[in-house]
Amino acid sequence: MPPTKPTLGQFAHLLEPEAKLQKYRIDIKNGIYEATDEADHLRMVQALGVIHRTPAPAPAQTTAPAIPPIQKSKKISEVIALYSEEKAKDNNKETIKDKKRTYQSLLDLFGDIEINLFTKQELVSWKSTQLKQDIKATTINSKIGELNGLFEYALNNGFYTMEKNPCEGLKIGKASKLKATYESYEPFNNDELKAIFNPLTYSKRLKKPDHYLLPLMALFTGARREELASLKAKNIKIIDDVWSIEIEEGKNENARRIVPIHSKLIELGLLEYAQSIQDKQYPYLFPHLIDGANGRGKNAGRQFSTYLREDLKIENDRKVFHSFRHTVITRLHTINSNKAHVIQLVGHEDDSVHFGTYTHDVGLKALQDTINRLEYDIDFNQLKAPLKEFERFINSWKKQEDRKLKRLINKSIK
């Protein structure tokens, strides 16, 4: 066997301080090394270490795990269209519009890219743009909820094939903090209601049919502003011998309902106004309203807010048009109304098996009795709708629309 090369380790014992040095001679392939004193010894050991040092093992070649390629997927606009089509079954038009505005903000930022290209990083970047616009945390969280619904749908339907929903954990703040800062709407108290429906101020500020009638209708139905502003003229009708408002479109599936018309609304002239609109064959109860981005009742809501803040000096931000809904619900519960009746009247969802199953079996006569129990310490005798003024307004509006149409026709002919 060929002689093995010595290593530094074989001479380690000679480095020990207690080692007894003796003269020695080493012949490595006829190269003679000789040590006669300690200095020679040290030089000898160092030389042997350099010549025969065992090379350190080379670091193991490590290969980074291969990153799987991102699967090709639908463009996000395609997924938005499919999701919106499905949600149209249980969301109203305004809710769909709100969601589409949120999705458009994502498109504006990143373009119409494939949905699989959206990761947590992209969603965080989007959230940063929202924060820079000084939007409230609750509003941003609502938008994140809309995005979460989109990506959850995409995951469940195989359009988004990444590991998990990128919207998870994206909401701002803890739920407890948000709840503490969330400004929910408050019902109007008796003094505020008397001030609102003071005939000396009410008719001066709220002159148009929608401005005048919508607050009164909300006060005696608990319906949302858009539910009332979007009513068709045919939605005021007799059902099962009861004059009723048929709400066909609402915030969700439960919002579609039939609400008996309170006797006070009948006294105030709602039926006469509805009949005059039906006679003219206008499709909507308030035909002059425009279906804009914020709904048909947007201007009525703004006018009512102006009335509260400027005329009545009601500065509480939690007191708005929607407060009528809270007022009705609070009053109905205060007079110990049947819970199933309240749910049906205001279009709430109830998770209990009993109410969730049998609410829609409540007869209109029973609901009429419940709604007519709503009473307010207000003198409504001077608040009967000025129907002649409404008719003049509608006729004037119609003439303006006809003139616009005529100009458009003439322009197109030229």
Side-chain angles (χ1 to χ4, degrees), residues 188-189 191-193 195-196 304-305 307-320:
F188 292 118
N189 59 42
D191 289 339
E192 289 166 338
L193 289 174
I196 291 169
F304 183 75
S305 292
Y307 177 53
L308 287 182
R309 309 295 181 245
E310 296 184 4
D311 294 72
L312 306 183
K313 309 303 180 186
I314 297 177
E315 303 292 346
N316 188 343
D317 290 338
R318 300 186 184 186
K319 302 293 179 80
V320 295

Side-chain angles (χ1 to χ4, degrees), residues 187-254:
F188 292 118
N189 59 42
N190 288 329
D191 289 339
E192 289 166 338
L193 289 174
K194 285 182 179 180
I196 291 169
F197 295 105
N198 181 337
L200 297 178
T201 55
Y202 190 79
S203 58
K204 288 181 180 179
R205 171 67 74 172
L206 310 175
K207 295 181 178 181
K208 295 180 181 180
D210 54 315
H211 295 177
Y212 194 98
L213 289 174
L214 286 178
L216 288 166
M217 294 171 70
L219 182 68
F220 287 105
T221 62
R224 302 173 179 90
R225 186 195 72 195
E226 286 309 308
E227 292 174 342
L228 297 172
S230 301
L231 286 174
K232 305 287 199 312
K234 66 178 182 179
N235 292 145
I236 307 294
K237 57 186 175 182
I238 295 177
I239 303 175
D240 293 342
D241 296 325
V242 175
W243 274 106
S244 304
I245 298 173
E246 182 181 21
I247 298 175
E248 296 180 299
E249 297 180 2
K251 187 176 181 181
N252 49 47
E253 187 68 29
N254 297 284

Side-chain angles (χ1 to χ4, degrees), residues 196-381:
I196 291 169
F197 295 105
N198 181 337
L200 297 178
T201 55
Y202 190 79
S203 58
K204 288 181 180 179
R205 171 67 74 172
L206 310 175
K207 295 181 178 181
K208 295 180 181 180
D210 54 315
H211 295 177
Y212 194 98
L213 289 174
L214 286 178
L216 288 166
M217 294 171 70
L219 182 68
F220 287 105
T221 62
R224 302 173 179 90
R225 186 195 72 195
E226 286 309 308
E227 292 174 342
L228 297 172
S230 301
L231 286 174
K232 305 287 199 312
K234 66 178 182 179
N235 292 145
I236 307 294
K237 57 186 175 182
I238 295 177
I239 303 175
D240 293 342
D241 296 325
V242 175
W243 274 106
S244 304
I245 298 173
E246 182 181 21
I247 298 175
E248 296 180 299
E249 297 180 2
K251 187 176 181 181
N252 49 47
E253 187 68 29
N254 297 284
R256 299 172 188 172
R257 62 196 186 277
I258 298 172
V259 181
I261 299 176
H262 194 288
S263 58
K264 189 60 67 176
L265 286 177
I266 295 175
E267 291 177 18
L268 292 173
L270 176 61
L271 298 185
E272 296 169 62
Y273 170 77
Q275 186 63 56
S276 68
I277 298 298
Q278 292 171 3
D279 290 344
K280 292 181 174 62
Q281 298 184 341
Y282 292 122
Y284 285 96
L285 185 63
F286 301 103
H288 59 287
L289 299 183
I290 299 173
D291 191 6
N294 295 314
R296 296 179 65 85
K298 174 187 67 176
N299 289 332
R302 287 179 177 174
Q303 187 72 356
F304 183 75
S305 292
T306 300
Y307 177 53
L308 287 182
R309 309 295 181 245
E310 296 184 4
D311 294 72
L312 306 183
K313 309 303 180 186
I314 297 177
E315 303 292 346
N316 188 343
D317 290 338
R318 300 186 184 186
K319 302 293 179 80
V320 295
F321 191 99
H322 199 72
S323 294
F324 286 124
R325 181 170 173 81
H326 290 259
T327 301
V328 170
I329 294 170
T330 301
R331 296 287 176 118
L332 288 174
H333 285 306
T334 300
I335 59 178
N336 296 318
S337 299
N338 185 305
K339 183 180 179 182
H341 293 190
V342 178
I343 292 171
Q344 175 64 22
L345 287 168
V346 301
H348 269 169
E349 181 178 3
D350 194 278
D351 295 329
S352 66
V353 174
H354 175 76
F355 291 113
T357 304
Y358 297 108
T359 292
H360 293 284
D361 290 335
V362 177
L364 286 179
K365 288 287 187 183
L367 291 178
Q368 184 184 44
D369 291 340
T370 297
I371 201 70
N372 278 333
R373 293 180 65 198
L374 271 178
E375 293 183 356
Y376 301 96
D377 187 18
I378 300 171
D379 183 5
F380 290 100
N381 291 330

Side-chain angles (χ1 to χ4, degrees), residues 73-87 100 103 106-107 112-116 118 146-161:
S73 59
K74 288 181 179 294
K75 288 189 175 182
I76 190 167
S77 63
E78 297 178 76
V79 180
I80 290 171
L82 291 168
Y83 178 62
S84 300
E85 182 180 358
E86 181 173 305
K87 295 308 292 181
K100 285 185 175 180
Y103 304 150
L106 205 63
L107 286 165
D112 190 11
I113 61 177
E114 293 182 18
I115 193 168
N116 271 352
F118 283 94
E146 292 168 347
L147 289 173
N148 182 75
L150 173 67
F151 280 96
E152 195 67 27
Y153 164 82
L155 269 170
N156 293 339
N157 288 273
F159 302 135
Y160 187 74
T161 57

Side-chain angles (χ1 to χ4, degrees), residues 39-91:
D40 286 343
H41 162 74
L42 290 174
R43 283 191 292 270
M44 178 90 60
V45 171
Q46 290 172 357
L48 289 170
V50 171
I51 296 170
H52 299 293
R53 180 177 294 122
T54 302
Q61 294 295 320
T62 58
T63 303
I67 300 174
I70 296 176
Q71 295 183 27
K72 188 172 179 60
S73 59
K74 288 181 179 294
K75 288 189 175 182
I76 190 167
S77 63
E78 297 178 76
V79 180
I80 290 171
L82 291 168
Y83 178 62
S84 300
E85 182 180 358
E86 181 173 305
K87 295 308 292 181
K89 303 297 182 183
D90 64 341
N91 286 165

